[in-house]
Amino acid sequence: MVKFSSIMKGTQEQEEKKELSKKTEPAREISAPPFEKAQWPPIPKQTPEEQKKVSLPQDAAFETDIVGTSAWKLYQQVVDFMRSVVTRIGANEKIRREEFVDHVRSLAEEISHNKEHFVSIITAETPDNYIIGHQVDVCILAIQMGIELGYGDEKLLELGCGALIFDIGMLKVLDIVKQQKKLGENELDEVRRHPEYGAAILKQLTDMPQSVIDIALQHHERPDGKGYPRGLKGREISEFSKIISIADVYIALTHSRPERRRLSPHDAIKELLQNARYFSPTVLRSLLSVISIYPIGTWVELNSHDIGRVVRLNAGQALRPAVELVCDHHGQPLEKRSVVDLMENPQLYITSVVDNANIEKWGLEKLVASKA
């Protein structure tokens, strides 16, 4: 088990610090296998419901807090754009990098003003097209991480463009991935080719720079050389790819898949900390700065035995967020709800995270949704 304190303090190598703080260097050319147009599968048909605007998450509290905000409206616009991108790629139509830049720039500007809204959006269970919704969520998280890492405008735009289309190769293997069964070895081998498919598609159908193509090709590589498709190690992996790789895993863990239920944001962070060896320590710390060990929406119990939901994070104080107190430790609603900022109440602290069984048993989400 990796201790949270050791990740936050860290003893990062000087070379990696220099690598993540310096300006982007021209990426070395990485070849991708040819991708013949005839090999491109038909785009899955969408139901009338899927063709509508982004559906509301299955979370009434989210609807109350987020829907109607400028962040939510922009999220809808970017998802609509990515729907058109998938359709156009299926028709072998060229897509200009500048189209992505415009949307990434809008996201970066909105995130700088409404970070907490976007944290809530990307951790909600939005029942949208898997590939499209996943890439947009990863893009939002990657931009937030880039801001934490001190990226300038140009570097942030380049990272965001790569994040918005990094997993496009999954469309080639989507029929395999959606199967609700354990995959065979041949099927797994084909799925592991999706980074190569994605890189080849970007080379042929976009004018994206090599750094963006590298993200598509390298986002499953790992520092210890045990990733795929090429087993790259450490500094062989681009810094953008290191950011996308951990954002990709976090978003996947916090959203349902055919073979499993989603993890809570807190449990997803625990999973990442337990597997910290697979990620860059500097990049992992930037994720923790954005999401926190107690992400917004996490249900926690305080030493006062009151139970509440994390509603706001405090920069640099991951263990002391603001908590809306809702009920006691037996699940009985409090007569009067209140929001306590643990930064301003040093006598209070979080003792534990409420498990999913009790969240459902006590109907905590419904209690929040019933707030006047």
Side-chain angles (χ1 to χ4, degrees):
M1 176 68 177
V2 178
K3 293 183 178 179
F4 176 70
S5 59
S6 67
I7 291 294
M8 293 304 290
K9 293 178 182 178
T11 54
Q12 180 62 19
E13 295 181 2
Q14 293 299 316
E15 289 300 319
E16 186 178 11
K17 286 183 178 179
K18 292 178 182 177
E19 180 185 358
L20 286 173
S21 62
K22 67 186 178 182
K23 294 181 178 179
T24 305
E25 295 178 352
R28 63 187 179 85
E29 182 75 12
I30 296 181
S31 61
F35 188 85
E36 300 298 333
K37 292 182 178 179
Q39 292 178 305
W40 182 246
I43 302 300
K45 292 183 178 180
Q46 292 181 317
T47 65
E49 290 75 17
E50 290 175 327
Q51 292 172 349
K52 295 178 182 178
K53 293 289 185 180
V54 183
S55 303
L56 294 180
Q58 304 304 305
D59 182 337
F62 176 98
E63 179 179 348
T64 300
D65 295 341
I66 303 299
V67 172
T69 64
S70 56
W72 178 246
K73 291 176 182 177
L74 180 57
Y75 181 82
Q76 291 180 314
Q77 292 171 12
V78 178
V79 169
D80 282 345
F81 166 67
M82 286 306 298
R83 281 199 184 106
S84 73
V85 166
V86 168
T87 300
R88 291 161 63 189
I89 286 178
N92 297 306
E93 181 182 336
K94 290 277 187 178
I95 301 172
R96 294 182 300 106
R97 171 181 176 272
E98 196 58 35
E99 297 178 65
F100 288 85
V101 169
D102 291 342
H103 287 83
V104 171
R105 183 180 287 111
S106 296
L107 280 174
E109 291 174 353
E110 188 69 25
I111 286 169
S112 68
H113 296 104
N114 292 309
K115 172 186 171 182
E116 292 182 358
H117 283 175
F118 281 105
V119 170
S120 296
I121 288 171
I122 65 175
T123 52
E125 186 74 288
T126 47
D128 193 66
N129 179 288
Y130 160 65
I131 296 297
I132 294 170
H134 181 77
Q135 289 186 139
V136 176
D137 289 346
V138 169
C139 178
I140 290 169
L141 183 53
I143 290 172
Q144 291 174 314
M145 292 169 65
I147 292 172
E148 289 292 328
L149 290 166
Y151 280 9
D153 291 346
E154 290 304 313
K155 198 170 181 180
L156 203 60
L157 289 175
E158 197 168 348
L159 171 66
C161 287
L164 203 52
I165 200 162
F166 80 100
D167 223 14
I168 197 66
M170 283 294 289
L171 285 170
K172 179 71 166 65
V173 297
L174 195 56
D175 288 343
I176 299 175
V177 173
K178 290 173 69 174
Q179 296 181 78
Q180 298 188 12
K181 68 178 184 67
K182 185 176 181 179
L183 301 182
E185 194 58 39
N186 289 339
E187 292 172 316
L188 284 173
D189 287 343
E190 181 63 11
V191 170
R192 291 188 184 113
R193 292 200 66 194
H194 81 266
E196 296 176 297
Y197 292 139
I201 292 165
L202 294 183
K203 276 194 169 186
Q204 293 190 12
L205 297 180
T206 74
D207 59 353
M208 291 292 186
Q210 186 64 38
S211 59
V212 169
I213 296 172
D214 287 347
I215 291 173
L217 188 60
Q218 297 178 3
H219 66 274
H220 282 291
E221 301 288 0
R222 297 294 180 257
D224 62 359
K226 294 183 179 179
Y228 64 87
R230 305 197 171 178
L232 302 181
K233 294 182 178 180
R235 294 167 67 185
E236 294 177 322
I237 307 168
S238 77
E239 61 182 73
F240 288 163
S241 299
K242 291 175 182 177
I243 293 171
I244 302 304
S245 70
I246 194 169
D248 177 35
V249 173
Y250 176 81
I251 295 299
L253 289 174
T254 53
H255 291 74
S256 297
R257 294 291 180 260
E259 73 282 3
R260 60 165 175 77
R261 295 180 62 182
R262 64 173 175 162
L263 295 181
S264 70
H266 177 78
D267 287 339
I269 291 294
K270 284 173 57 180
E271 186 80 11
L272 291 174
L273 290 173
Q274 289 170 344
N275 294 278
R277 66 188 181 279
Y278 297 122
F279 307 105
S280 155
T282 297
V283 169
L284 178 52
R285 285 199 295 276
S286 72
L287 175 69
L288 293 173
S289 295
V290 172
I291 300 297
S292 173
I293 192 69
Y294 299 116
I296 290 175
T298 302
W299 287 95
V300 296
E301 182 172 351
L302 304 186
N303 59 319
S304 63
H305 301 300
D306 292 325
I307 288 175
R309 180 180 67 140
V310 174
V311 294
R312 188 175 68 254
L313 306 179
N314 286 311
Q317 296 291 332
L319 303 180
R320 303 198 67 78
V323 180
E324 179 188 18
L325 301 181
V326 174
C327 62
D328 63 22
H329 65 293
H330 296 298
Q332 296 300 310
L334 300 177
E335 290 185 9
K336 184 179 180 181
R337 296 185 192 175
S338 62
V339 175
V340 293
D341 190 335
L342 299 187
M343 283 286 290
E344 299 175 359
N345 294 271
Q347 76 280 8
L348 295 175
Y349 55 88
I350 295 172
T351 58
S352 63
V353 172
V354 181
D355 60 38
N356 290 331
N358 280 330
I359 290 174
E360 295 180 7
K361 176 182 176 182
W362 297 333
L364 296 182
E365 300 293 353
K366 293 180 180 178
L367 282 177
V368 170
S370 67
K371 181 175 66 174

